[in-house]
Amino acid sequence: MADESEGLVKACSLFALDFHKFLMNDATLSSQNLFYSPASLFVALAMTHFGAKGKTAEEMSTILHLSALSPFALNNEMKEFVLTLNTSSDSKTKLLIANKIFLEKSFEVLEAFKSGTREFYDAEVGLVDFKFHAEQARKNINEWVEEKTNHKIKDLILEGILNAETKLTLVNAIYFKGLWLEPFNKASTFPSDFFVSKEKVIQVPMMYREAHFKFIESEELACQILELPYIGNQLSMVIYLPSENDGLASLEEKINFGNLQKSLADLDGSMPEEIEVYLPKFKMEQRFSLNDVLTGMGAGEMFVGGKADFSGIAHKPLYVSDVVHKAFVEVNEEGTEAAAATGIGMKMLCLKPMFSANHPFLFFIRHRSTGAMLFLGHLLEPRVEA
């Protein structure tokens, strides 16, 4: 599987890093906790790209790094990717990626688009009445997302986003719940300092665990890297902890596809060693409206009525009205629960090695066999209430 979808997973990783760096250029976002699913965004945008033509398709292909993949390879790798993720669940781990197209019931969508998204994205199709009952359609979409994310993502589509002009909304939801292979003992959690910045220190519930983990130090990135696997060993959380308390901004500036892959290869090649791990409990929930971000990344034409070309979806002109994304994560002694959804609407150190995450860090949840980065975030200030 890793070989079969290597091109797609590489594209997804490149998109994730570009997207993260773009968010870091936003002073508001870079100065707060951040959590989202690059995989969810990538799949939803790729599904939209499936119906794009001309310059619109070229722009989307560029930001998604799909240019190296033929349409045939992209479709087949996406089908395999979605299937692999959806078969990663077991009794202790839940991973679900789900796609659905909500169509205006009076709007004629090309059969090739419906059948293609069904085959390659495992996308359901639902008919709704945007024309006369847009608010009810919004509720239907939100109920579907909430059900698919185990009630963690509520109200993905806010009031006022959908209206009588909306013809089609593509929605992607991803949900993950995993238990640590080496759980933390609740009795060992204690109040501890967390150095938010040079000027600000707060008290947080700090978890503690001494066990064998894969752990390396990267001189190039000036950080420690720790992998915390979940039961089943198919998924893991990887934490990049800067050597300096205020080193996160520098780390996020330096990290790129090359040194990320090298550091992960070094981590994968290391032997687990006994480590003392200190990790704060935290919970995050975040909503994004991504029109400006995606326009800034170079895919602005899809939002422009009269210019956007989605003639692969329908004969009548369409454009993307909104791209919304909402994500949730909770990290505690037992494990991690994370969920995200993307909607695209169209309208018309000590004796033993020590890993002490007592200052801001970068983290992601990855699918180990494919290498896919499912969730990505940085923690600046731990909170146990989202």
Side-chain angles (χ1 to χ4, degrees), residues 113-262:
F113 181 76
K114 284 196 285 188
S115 61
T117 49
R118 187 184 308 120
E119 181 180 356
F120 305 124
Y121 293 84
D122 195 24
E124 301 175 44
V125 177
L127 298 177
V128 290
D129 188 353
F130 289 125
K131 200 169 185 179
F132 297 109
H133 298 98
E135 178 58 18
Q136 185 57 49
R138 182 183 76 88
K139 287 178 181 175
N140 291 348
I141 294 169
N142 286 343
E143 284 170 7
W144 180 83
V145 170
E146 188 175 338
E147 179 195 343
K148 291 296 184 183
T149 60
N150 200 35
H151 307 286
K152 293 300 175 186
I153 301 295
K154 299 179 181 180
D155 300 320
L156 172 68
I157 311 285
L158 295 176
E159 284 187 53
I161 288 179
L162 306 178
N163 56 40
E165 300 305 311
T166 305
K167 298 296 183 285
L168 179 155
T169 298
L170 297 98
V171 176
N172 162 276
I174 184 170
Y175 173 74
F176 165 67
K177 185 170 186 178
L179 300 176
W180 300 123
L181 186 62
E182 297 283 355
F184 295 81
N185 186 338
K186 283 187 179 181
S188 300
T189 300
F190 64 101
S192 179
D193 287 345
F194 187 94
F195 298 88
V196 177
S197 65
K198 286 182 178 177
E199 299 78 28
K200 186 175 181 182
V201 181
I202 61 171
Q203 287 274 298
V204 301
M206 186 70 76
M207 306 185 297
Y208 170 78
R209 180 75 164 106
E210 185 181 314
H212 285 80
F213 297 108
K214 289 195 170 190
F215 164 84
I216 61 169
E217 299 202 35
S218 169
E219 285 187 25
E220 182 182 359
L221 293 172
C223 68
Q224 294 179 315
I225 305 171
L226 176 75
E227 181 172 39
L228 299 174
Y230 298 99
I231 288 177
N233 270 314
Q234 294 206 64
L235 296 116
S236 66
M237 178 180 285
V238 181
I239 302 172
Y240 283 62
L241 178 70
S243 305
E244 302 294 328
N245 284 3
D246 59 353
L248 179 61
S250 173
L251 168 64
E252 289 180 311
E253 196 174 314
K254 272 189 275 190
I255 202 162
N256 57 43
F257 184 75
N259 55 36
L260 174 70
Q261 292 304 109
K262 182 183 183 302

Side-chain angles (χ1 to χ4, degrees), residues 313-333:
I313 297 178
H315 292 308
K316 293 180 182 177
L318 284 172
Y319 68 95
V320 173
S321 57
D322 294 277
V323 176
V324 290
H325 183 69
K326 191 174 180 184
F328 166 91
V329 65
E330 180 176 6
V331 173
N332 58 30
E333 290 88 352

Side-chain angles (χ1 to χ4, degrees), residues 68-79:
L69 289 168
S70 68
F72 177 82
L74 171 60
N75 291 339
N76 285 285
E77 288 188 23
M78 184 62 76
K79 181 177 182 178

